Amino acid sequence: MVKKPWKIIPRPLLETILKNHAQHHRVHQPLILHGPRGVGKTTLLLDRLLTDWNKAPHLTGYVDFAESVEGHRPSHGQLFPWGSWSTCPPPSLSDCRKSLEECLESMAERGVRMGTITAQQVFATLNKSHGLTAALRRVLIAGGNDSKSPVPNKRGASPALLWDRAIFTMSARCGDAEIDRILGFGEKRKIALSMEEASYLKEAVVALKLAKKVIEVKQGWRANAIAHMNRTGTFSRSLTHSSTDWPFLLLELLSQAAEIDHFQPKLVLNNIEVLKHATVNDDISVKGPLYHDSLIWRIIALGANERCLPVILVTSDSYYSYDAFLEFGYKDIFISRETFGWTQQEAKMHMVPDYFSHKEWNVIAEVLGPNPRHLSELYALKQSKYYQKITEDKASTFEDIVDAYLAYLQIIVLNPAMDRALEILQKFAIDVCNGKVSKDRLRFGAPWRRPPQVDDPKLCMEWAKLQLMDFVQALINTEFGVNYRIDYSEEIFDDPAANALLEVGLLYAQRDPPFLRPISRGIERCIVRWHVQQQMQLRFPNTIRFLCHRIFRGRYYRHLMVQPGHKY
């Protein structure tokens, strides 16, 4: 059964997507939905839009590649992480592959039940891009060839003949109970179907099983070659694509079977960027980045050369908007829709008066902004006994609750994230000392050009703190409104401090318009508090050092400033 998706995209954006795509059975480009880390999910609303996509004739498969990351998923009792997936324990590639394949298999089984995927269609699609003769012989021999006729020994035996023989053999081995379960047959359904109709559907189910077995056999033959490719670091397109043969075959079948008002499948892939960080726990699988690139490339090729069901990628990785076109063709290869959480008007429509009063909302909008995660956590705090205890004091107001929540953000969210950013900068300084950083990043005039010349973690950490404070001061001077594409300049991304804050998920590189900003107004306030706290804790020599650095080598990004008094 297709896993029902839960709230991953704010409703206004989904309404637009539904209007543009619900009535079409194919698209030529994947649809990319962008959202900064931590604002894409909310538990406040029962968003029924994706649920509607599972009502006939629509069928939506939902895959979350980060579902297996323990300690960082809602299913494990944790909120969505603020940090990027590169800072979280990477999932296993086998788990990611399993979740994708199980989802597509369940969608294909639904297509079989609808009568739109047939055994002949499975054979034609498989035979189009795979040599089947040797693999089918292996399947027949391994299965003992339960049929009375022997396996044809002539090399001239056609794939169609071997396919029919293998279908007959596999049908004998598959139990009726298993096939009935896949087809969803009950006693009433059996009575409604004629023997020919039931046999026709069962043959399609067996054909899917046989196709999967054939691809497994062919992948087994390539195991040593893939292990050698992984050891030597070489690249083979055919070997890489072999790892995605099965999901790609299912995508082809579903795309061919799509029919308006009868069977309209769609696929939602959440956290697609996790595949780039997935680990391999065996010697016969390609690495995570190769699997990711192969999957994306084949989806694009399917849409460009034939037809593809709507594939919606939910991600916060700007790679898919501005960098992927260099590898996959042209800049419009993805239909890109971005949402920076909710606008204030959208959030007010959802929150007032069901969750917050108008007066409370004015405070929230000014202090925290319309970030759904902030709203969810603040509402939980409002419902808690702590809030009831505070409000018993007549002098206490809702502002006190917001202040308490800001303190929570500071201690639980921002300070650990800044510590992680300091570790990233410390590692950068050590890499410079060891010659692992190219000279292009250390060009003349760069504030980070001269880290300590010795591999001393303590000195490198002091240098990292100086650099991070200098970068935050530059952001404060720009009022946290930086347009990183002014004059086609992206110099700010050469800054290791900017990359560190992006990596830990406190800053977000919005794509349209191209602003570099904190992920929420509440996080912006916490960053300023962190900077003030660090300045107050500096000893006198370090204070002089920081001031000298600001004067002679400090960062000045005011030329990238959007406009004075910019609000988001």
Side-chain angles (χ1 to χ4, degrees):
M1 185 175 182
V2 177
K3 185 175 181 181
K4 288 188 177 181
W6 60 287
K7 307 152 290 296
I8 57 174
I9 315 166
R11 177 186 295 274
L13 181 64
L14 275 180
E15 289 175 345
T16 303
I17 297 164
L18 184 62
K19 183 185 299 182
N20 294 337
H21 292 275
Q23 298 301 321
H24 299 278
H25 69 285
R26 66 176 180 176
V27 294
H28 293 296
Q29 298 150 310
L31 175 67
I32 312 300
L33 303 182
H34 297 284
R37 181 66 63 205
V39 306
K41 297 187 183 265
T42 171
T43 57
L44 289 179
L45 300 173
L46 293 176
D47 198 333
R48 64 179 183 274
L49 223 43
L50 280 176
T51 303
D52 291 341
W53 278 7
N54 276 306
K55 294 180 180 178
H58 300 285
L59 173 68
T60 302
Y62 174 72
V63 180
D64 187 352
F65 288 112
E67 190 64 35
S68 60
V69 181
E70 296 187 6
H72 295 271
R73 308 299 300 134
S75 58
H76 296 99
Q78 299 291 333
L79 288 172
F80 200 70
W82 292 92
S84 66
W85 291 116
S86 60
T87 63
C88 299
S92 169
L93 181 61
S94 60
D95 292 337
C96 296
R97 292 181 61 174
K98 182 180 178 181
S99 60
L100 175 62
E101 291 172 3
E102 286 181 349
C103 177
L104 290 173
E105 286 169 8
S106 64
M107 294 176 69
E109 290 167 2
R110 179 75 68 86
V112 170
R113 291 196 291 271
M114 298 291 293
T116 58
I117 296 179
T118 66
Q120 183 59 34
Q121 182 184 350
V122 175
F123 169 72
T125 306
L126 186 64
N127 190 44
K128 181 176 61 176
S129 54
H130 296 274
L132 300 183
T133 304
L136 287 173
R137 286 180 184 276
R138 175 62 63 88
V139 171
L140 286 169
I141 294 172
N145 190 29
D146 296 336
S147 63
K148 295 181 180 179
S149 303
V151 179
N153 291 322
K154 295 182 180 180
R155 293 188 176 182
S158 67
L161 176 62
L162 292 172
W163 177 266
D164 292 339
R165 192 71 55 80
I167 286 285
F168 185 78
T169 301
M170 256 189 131
S171 297
R173 296 208 308 269
C174 291
D176 290 339
E178 181 184 3
I179 295 179
D180 290 346
R181 178 188 59 79
I182 293 174
L183 292 175
F185 283 177
E187 293 301 326
K188 293 182 179 180
R189 180 75 185 276
K190 283 186 177 181
I191 295 173
L193 291 177
S194 66
M195 184 178 296
E196 290 79 6
E197 289 174 318
S199 177
Y200 182 81
L201 295 178
K202 288 181 180 180
E203 183 183 3
V205 172
V206 174
L208 283 175
K209 289 182 171 293
L210 178 58
K212 184 176 183 180
K213 186 66 177 177
V214 167
I215 289 177
E216 288 176 352
V217 169
K218 295 176 74 68
Q219 287 176 342
W221 291 339
R222 297 185 179 100
N224 291 333
I226 291 176
H228 175 74
M229 182 179 70
N230 291 337
R231 286 195 306 268
T232 58
T234 55
F235 173 74
S236 167
R237 184 182 295 273
S238 60
L239 290 178
T240 301
H241 282 346
S242 69
S243 63
T244 57
D245 278 343
W246 178 234
F248 179 69
L249 175 67
L250 294 173
L251 279 172
E252 272 193 291
L253 291 172
L254 289 167
S255 300
Q256 294 170 10
E259 183 179 347
I260 291 180
D261 295 331
H262 179 65
F263 181 61
Q264 295 178 239
K266 289 175 279 291
L267 180 63
V268 178
L269 302 179
N270 194 17
N271 296 308
I272 183 69
E273 69 273 22
V274 171
L275 287 177
K276 294 188 288 186
H277 306 290
T279 57
V280 178
N281 51 10
D282 56 56
D283 295 331
I284 61 173
S285 298
V286 298
K287 297 179 180 179
L290 292 181
Y291 184 87
H292 165 272
D293 291 350
S294 175
L295 182 64
I296 296 296
W297 174 262
R298 300 187 82 167
I299 290 174
I300 293 172
L302 184 62
N305 299 327
E306 299 181 32
R307 65 180 185 180
C308 182
L309 56 82
V311 179
I312 302 173
L313 308 184
V314 185
T315 178
S316 61
D317 193 335
S318 60
Y319 165 81
Y320 302 92
S321 293
Y322 283 109
D323 297 326
F325 75 91
L326 296 175
E327 301 177 14
F328 295 116
Y330 54 98
K331 67 179 181 179
D332 296 324
I333 198 69
F334 297 114
I335 303 173
S336 183
R337 303 277 174 82
E338 180 182 37
T339 174
F340 192 79
W342 277 327
T343 64
Q344 288 201 20
Q345 293 79 8
E346 291 167 347
K348 184 177 181 179
M349 176 181 64
H350 291 302
M351 296 293 108
V352 179
D354 295 334
Y355 301 99
F356 302 103
S357 66
H358 286 277
K359 183 178 180 181
E360 291 172 345
W361 173 251
N362 292 334
V363 175
I364 294 172
E366 179 64 28
V367 178
L368 297 175
N371 184 296
R373 176 167 175 175
H374 290 334
L375 299 177
S376 175
E377 294 175 342
L378 189 62
Y379 180 71
L381 182 60
K382 181 182 175 182
Q383 296 296 104
S384 67
K385 294 180 180 179
Y386 175 79
Y387 176 76
Q388 305 300 331
K389 183 179 179 180
I390 291 265
T391 52
E392 288 176 0
D393 183 0
K394 301 301 182 181
S396 299
T397 62
F398 182 75
E399 286 84 347
D400 297 324
I401 295 296
V402 175
D403 286 338
Y405 178 68
L406 274 177
Y408 160 81
L409 281 182
Q410 189 76 42
I411 297 172
I412 303 299
V413 174
L414 188 121
N415 288 348
M418 297 299 277
D419 292 340
R420 172 61 181 151
L422 287 173
E423 293 175 1
I424 296 172
L425 284 172
Q426 181 190 35
K427 183 179 181 300
F428 176 83
I430 294 175
D431 289 343
V432 171
C433 183
N434 296 330
K436 296 181 180 180
V437 178
S438 65
K439 293 183 179 179
D440 292 339
R441 297 193 64 187
L442 304 174
R443 61 184 180 273
F444 181 79
W448 57 90
R449 184 170 179 240
R450 297 183 182 275
Q453 300 298 314
V454 293
D455 189 354
D456 186 342
K458 183 178 179 180
L459 291 177
C460 290
M461 179 57 74
E462 291 179 355
W463 177 85
K465 183 172 291 188
L466 177 70
Q467 295 295 318
L468 193 57
M469 290 177 63
D470 181 43
F471 178 76
V472 171
Q473 182 66 61
L475 285 185
I476 294 173
N477 292 343
T478 62
E479 299 181 20
F480 291 93
V482 171
N483 187 326
Y484 59 84
R485 286 191 178 274
I486 286 181
D487 297 329
Y488 300 97
S489 172
E490 296 187 1
E491 63 184 72
I492 197 169
F493 293 116
D494 292 332
D495 193 330
N499 291 326
L501 291 182
L502 284 168
E503 186 170 346
V504 299
L506 296 179
L507 294 186
Y508 176 58
Q510 183 176 324
R511 284 153 287 275
D512 189 18
F515 297 159
L516 183 70
R517 56 172 56 155
I519 61 175
S520 74
R521 193 170 298 169
I523 292 297
E524 175 188 316
R525 290 177 180 271
C526 291
I527 290 176
V528 174
R529 286 186 179 186
W530 177 88
H531 181 70
V532 172
Q533 183 182 16
Q534 295 301 316
Q535 281 190 316
M536 293 175 63
Q537 292 177 352
L538 285 179
R539 295 181 179 179
F540 181 75
N542 289 334
T543 302
I544 298 300
R545 184 183 175 193
F546 174 70
L547 293 176
C548 291
H549 178 84
R550 285 294 303 163
I551 294 172
F552 297 106
R553 294 182 182 172
R555 295 165 172 82
Y556 294 94
Y557 290 127
R558 291 189 63 85
H559 64 292
L560 301 179
M561 191 172 178
V562 178
Q563 61 185 13
H566 172 74
K567 295 291 184 181
Y568 55 88

